[in-house]
């Protein structure tokens, strides 16, 4: 089945540093990639949608300059949390979608980010 | 604006019995897709079932079925013959298409299901 690899799975860093999270679709081309944030015991909050050939579309309230998304190719998307602070600590999950609206999204295993 | 509502924060079901998890949605777009995902305590998201807005029949996948009532804008998940391994968080999600050709998917708050032995 389709596999989405997300790296790193866990990162701890100091406040003020930038952290890059990678999301790769290993055996299919992802025309759309989604980035979600999940707080403990809560739902997935959509941060941004990145479609093939266009810039990421950010959800209301998500800072574009804070959370930089690059959909470099049809198999790779990156989320960079710039100048991270403790309030950015969370579980970040990427998801990739093949072409076609009725396909299920394939999720990465998530990245647990802890900012000290 | 699109919206997904799951009104049951937690549900208990006896092993081998059926359980229904509720989901209602709100959209003005005639074309959309509805999904259910399972998230065990380990955190990964597992796709369960899909229903398209134009599908005439309710979707079924093994022990999972989706009770799609379009006029009521509800897409309830029915799990038959519950198993202990079904204990997890369940999310309802809706996907719409952008005019530009992309997609957007949002998730409901989730329902935590506990299966009792």
């Amino acid at each position: 089945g389709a596999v989405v690899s997300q790296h790193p799975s866990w990162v701890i860093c100091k406040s003020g540093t930038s952290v890059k999270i990678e999301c790769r679709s290993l055996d299919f081309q992802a025309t759309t990639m989604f980035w979600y944030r999940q707080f403990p015991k809560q739902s997935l909050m959509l941060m941004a949608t990145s479609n093939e050939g266009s810039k990421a579309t950010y959800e209301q309230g998500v800072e574009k300059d804070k959370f930089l998304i690059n959909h470099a190719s049809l198999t790779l998307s990156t989320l960079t949390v710039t100048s991270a602070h403790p309030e950015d600590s969370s579980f970040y999950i990427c998801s990739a979608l093949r072409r076609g609206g009725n396909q299920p999204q394939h999720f990465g295993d998530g990245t647990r980010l802890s900012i000290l | 604006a699109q919206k997904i509502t799951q009104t049951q924060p937690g549900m208990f079901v006896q092993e081998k019995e059926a359980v229904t998890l509720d989901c209602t949605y709100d959209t003005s777009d005639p074309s959309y897709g509805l999904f259910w995902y399972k998230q065990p305590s380990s955190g990964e998201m597992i796709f369960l079932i899909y229903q398209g807005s134009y599908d005439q029949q309710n979707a079924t996948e093994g022990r999972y079925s989706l009770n799609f009532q379009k006029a009521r804008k509800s897409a309830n998940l029915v799990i038959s013959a519950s198993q202990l391994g079904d204990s997890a968080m369940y999310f309802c999600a809706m996907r719409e298409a952008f005019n530009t050709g992309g997609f957007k998917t949002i998730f409901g708050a989730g329902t935590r299901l506990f299966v009792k032995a």
Side-chain angles (χ1 to χ4, degrees):
Chain A
V3 177
V4 174
S5 173
Q6 187 173 341
H7 178 82
S9 57
W10 203 341
V11 58
I12 301 173
C13 60
K14 293 181 179 179
S15 183
T17 59
S18 293
V19 178
K20 180 184 282 189
I21 303 170
E22 287 190 353
C23 181
R24 294 181 183 270
S25 55
L26 298 184
D27 55 355
F28 67 98
Q29 291 187 328
T31 54
T32 305
M33 285 197 173
F34 305 87
W35 286 95
Y36 293 88
R37 182 173 179 176
Q38 187 177 30
F39 292 101
K41 301 185 187 302
Q42 294 189 27
S43 184
L44 280 71
M45 182 192 78
L46 180 64
M47 298 176 67
T49 303
S50 178
N51 293 297
E52 176 188 5
S54 62
K55 293 183 179 179
T57 301
Y58 288 81
E59 292 299 297
Q60 191 173 8
V62 178
E63 298 176 59
K64 299 179 184 181
D65 296 332
K66 176 76 170 176
F67 300 99
L68 301 178
I69 290 172
N70 186 335
H71 196 159
S73 71
L74 288 178
T75 59
L76 173 65
S77 177
T78 60
L79 167 67
T80 301
V81 183
T82 62
S83 187
H85 289 93
E87 59 267 27
D88 299 323
S89 298
S90 191
F91 191 57
Y92 292 88
I93 309 176
C94 75
S95 179
L97 177 66
R98 296 177 197 260
R99 191 180 305 277
N102 63 348
Q103 299 288 325
Q105 289 170 228
H106 302 283
F107 286 82
D109 288 339
T111 297
R112 192 161 301 282
L113 176 62
S114 296
I115 309 298
L116 304 177
Chain B
Q2 29 166 224
K3 184 178 176 182
I4 294 277
T5 303
Q6 293 180 254
T7 58
Q8 307 151 313
M11 290 276 289
F12 284 89
V13 64
Q14 193 68 40
E15 190 179 13
K16 299 181 184 177
E17 292 185 349
V19 62
T20 298
L21 307 183
D22 296 341
C23 174
T24 57
Y25 59 92
D26 186 23
T27 179
S28 56
D29 194 328
S31 178
Y32 51 90
L34 298 161
F35 300 80
W36 277 90
Y37 286 87
K38 171 184 177 181
Q39 187 179 41
S41 56
S42 51
E44 74 268 29
M45 295 289 286
I46 302 169
F47 166 72
L48 297 179
I49 197 166
Y50 164 82
Q51 181 84 43
S53 60
Y54 294 117
D55 293 344
Q56 296 293 319
Q57 293 188 327
N58 288 343
T60 59
E61 289 285 349
R63 294 187 298 113
Y64 304 106
S65 60
L66 200 152
N67 185 358
F68 181 45
Q69 298 188 38
K70 193 171 183 177
R72 297 180 57 189
K73 293 188 176 179
S74 73
N76 299 339
L77 176 70
V78 180
I79 305 175
S80 62
S82 298
Q83 302 172 355
L84 295 177
D86 294 335
S87 293
M89 194 74 169
Y90 289 80
F91 292 102
C92 179
M94 179 172 69
R95 180 183 304 156
E96 289 181 325
F98 290 125
N99 292 334
T100 54
F103 296 94
K104 173 178 177 176
T105 306
I106 61 168
F107 284 74
T111 295
R112 184 164 294 280
L113 179 66
F114 300 92
V115 181
K116 300 182 291 183

